[in-house]
Amino acid sequence: MKQQGKQRVRGGGAVWAVAITSMAGFITALDNLIVTTALPSIRKDLGGGLEDLEWTVSAYTLTFAVLLMFGASLGDRFGRRRLFAIGLAIFTTASAAAALAPGMGELIAARAAQGLGAAIVTPLTLTLLSAAVPAERRGAALGVWGAASGIAVATGPLIGGTLTEHLSWQWIFWVNVPIGLALIPLALLRLDESHGPNPTLDLVGTALASGGLFGIVYALVRGNTDGWTSTEVLGGFIAGAALLVGFVLYELRAEHPMLPMRLFRHRSFSAVNAASLLMFLGMFGSIFLLSQYLQTVGGYSPMEAGVRMLPWTAMPMIAGPLAGALSDRIGGAPVVTVGMALNAVGLGLWAITVEPHVAYTHLLPALIVCGIGMGMFFAPSANLVLSTVRPEEQGIASGANNAIREVGGAIGVASLAAVFSAQGGYGSASQFVDGLIPALWVGAGAVALAAALALLMRRQRKADSSAAGLAAGSAPAGAVAN
């Protein structure tokens, strides 16, 4: 018989569970941003244009986003430890394939496979960890798990730049292989099997959501190349929108929906998710272009560019805990609102300051402001999401929010790159800046709109304690509890 939620962890117990799940969370979170500082080197080595670079990033984030909740369901049905090991095997194999890719097409396909593996692994890390660690020690364990994912996101551009400069861009993918090969047997030997209470799979909903989001992102990526009124682009927008409408209608009637639409009846849940999508749209799209600017226009090496991104990407490690404590005192909504407003201001400062030969010190204030704003967003927004639903729905609510964030990132890369290529390009430093400035203003506008939507959230004096525990592990890579 299948175990239903109970798990007897093998010798080593909680320590092994924390180590295994935290390291797995680290490598899957790392691949969100590790590729950004390697993009100029990839373009130089494999050729291709802006469209190919977009898909190098979006193939991972989009696949990860649309399959995140489905991955959790697979674990519930077929066994969490088993699927965790399978997901690691897919992610590790895809990482090796990306490193060996002879061209952009093969690299993009490998990145999509990485996203599939990460979508299976990531939600199960939190599920396995929660089952393995006694309740009285779970908060500390979640803190370690969350710190691992947070460090991965913060240092992703730096690690990517360092490996690219001192070895080659292929090593941003090779680095996953030995870790994955070590984790697979450890998981099978040190973790026991368990199954979830709801072993159903929403295959129709997954297919509709995946097809709809792919159609919209594809149209955004191809718009400048094929023309925004071309049959291919309009067809992508129309088909994508139709499939997403079909997804909503199907989920409203499904007995076991992947994304219960009833959750969106809560005003705060709808507002924080809409704001999260717009926040990641502006943030990921901007990082995609700014990391290239530092190398292409600024003349920095990949590692130097990664170091110079740290005031933005690493600042949440400092600002996040302070924002969490502040949100306990005054509520999460005002903290999140101010955080997103600061991000919009930071992107606006970039747009005002950036030029072909500007000194890095002139750009530093914008980076710091964006970093503080991002730190004020993450933990309080996770608490807000979880505090709007019943305890038994917190897993699906967390999964929905993290999937929506990743979708926002994929759309952000595609839409801001479309603005960039319409107004500029890679021909010269001036041409790059000509495209970058309007793209940054679009990103700033998206995040400003997110801040306005955050005003619709109801004020809450103190986040639910269980939500706070899960929020401690929140990171851009996301997670689902089951």
Side-chain angles (χ1 to χ4, degrees):
M1 287 183 65
K2 296 179 179 179
Q3 292 174 290
Q4 297 294 328
K6 288 186 178 181
Q7 209 177 35
R8 176 184 56 82
V9 182
R10 307 183 185 193
V15 174
W16 277 110
V18 171
I20 292 167
T21 57
S22 295
M23 186 54 67
F26 178 87
I27 59 173
T28 54
L30 189 67
D31 270 59
N32 270 276
L33 291 178
I34 194 173
V35 73
T36 54
T37 43
L39 290 173
S41 297
I42 292 173
R43 183 167 64 92
K44 183 178 179 180
D45 194 10
L46 298 184
L50 180 65
E51 176 184 327
D52 299 300
L53 298 182
E54 292 175 62
W55 281 117
T56 301
V57 176
S58 296
Y60 181 83
T61 55
L62 189 60
T63 307
F64 181 42
V66 298
L67 297 178
L68 186 66
M69 288 180 285
F70 185 67
S73 298
L74 285 173
D76 283 353
R77 179 168 184 175
F78 297 109
R80 291 162 176 165
R81 185 191 65 182
R82 179 186 304 166
L83 262 293
F84 181 72
I86 291 173
L88 280 171
I90 294 171
F91 183 82
T92 303
T93 303
S95 296
L100 295 169
M104 291 299 297
E106 293 85 355
L107 177 59
I108 292 167
R111 286 285 287 166
Q114 276 190 305
L116 168 61
I120 298 172
V121 169
T122 302
L124 297 180
T125 59
L126 190 54
T127 310
L128 291 167
L129 178 62
S130 298
V133 180
E136 63 271 15
R137 290 190 288 163
R138 197 167 295 154
L142 288 169
V144 174
W145 174 87
S149 296
I151 291 170
V153 172
T155 60
L158 175 59
I159 293 174
T162 302
L163 292 173
T164 299
E165 181 174 342
H166 294 290
L167 295 171
S168 69
W169 65 262
Q170 285 88 349
W171 278 93
I172 67 175
F173 303 116
W174 281 127
V175 71
N176 296 325
V177 175
I179 300 174
L181 291 176
L183 289 176
I184 292 169
L186 283 175
L188 294 174
L189 290 170
R190 296 295 179 176
L191 300 176
D192 277 355
E193 189 60 280
S194 70
H195 295 76
N198 181 22
T200 57
L201 297 177
D202 187 0
L203 296 174
V204 175
T206 300
L208 288 170
S210 303
L213 291 168
F214 176 81
I216 289 174
V217 172
Y218 178 82
L220 286 168
V221 170
R222 297 293 302 176
N224 285 311
T225 302
D226 297 338
W228 293 99
T229 58
S230 67
T231 302
E232 191 174 28
V233 172
L234 288 177
F237 280 126
I238 294 170
L243 288 171
L244 289 179
V245 170
F247 168 73
V248 173
L249 294 175
Y250 177 81
E251 295 295 285
L252 285 170
R253 294 170 173 79
E255 185 176 356
H256 299 289
M258 179 176 71
L259 179 57
M261 292 296 150
R262 68 177 183 276
L263 299 178
F264 292 93
R265 295 172 186 166
H266 196 293
R267 188 182 73 187
S268 293
F269 184 84
S270 296
V272 72
N273 278 287
S276 295
L277 185 143
L278 289 167
M279 168 73 177
F280 269 64
L281 188 157
M283 183 184 71
F284 263 68
S286 299
I287 289 176
F288 171 76
L289 293 171
L290 291 173
S291 60
Q292 295 182 71
Y293 165 82
L294 290 172
Q295 296 178 66
T296 304
V297 179
Y300 297 108
S301 69
M303 185 179 75
E304 290 171 340
V307 170
R308 282 160 178 77
M309 290 292 289
L310 283 177
W312 186 347
T313 58
M315 185 61 70
M317 300 296 293
I318 301 172
L322 297 176
L326 182 61
S327 68
D328 283 343
R329 294 179 63 87
I330 67 173
V335 178
V336 167
T337 303
V338 172
M340 289 188 288
L342 285 174
N343 263 280
V345 170
L347 292 177
L349 286 175
W350 261 96
I352 292 171
T353 309
V354 71
E355 57 184 52
H357 303 293
V358 67
Y360 172 75
T361 52
H362 294 169
L363 303 173
L364 191 56
L367 284 167
I368 294 173
V369 170
C370 283
I372 294 172
M374 195 161 68
M376 295 180 68
F377 168 80
F378 283 130
S381 68
N383 275 338
L384 284 167
V385 169
L386 296 174
S387 65
T388 61
V389 298
R390 298 190 296 268
E392 64 271 18
E393 294 178 325
Q394 287 182 349
I396 195 66
S398 175
N401 180 251
N402 283 290
I404 287 169
R405 291 181 182 186
E406 295 291 334
V407 167
I411 294 175
V413 170
S415 57
L416 266 65
V419 175
F420 168 83
S421 60
Q423 302 294 323
Y426 292 100
S428 66
S430 296
Q431 192 177 5
F432 193 101
V433 171
D434 287 343
L436 177 62
I437 291 174
L440 287 174
W441 281 119
V442 171
V447 181
L449 180 57
L453 286 173
L455 295 173
L456 298 176
M457 292 185 288
R458 295 171 182 166
R459 291 196 57 160
Q460 196 160 350
R461 291 295 300 177
K462 191 173 181 179
D464 185 275
S465 59
S466 59
L470 283 174
S474 180
V480 184
N482 289 300

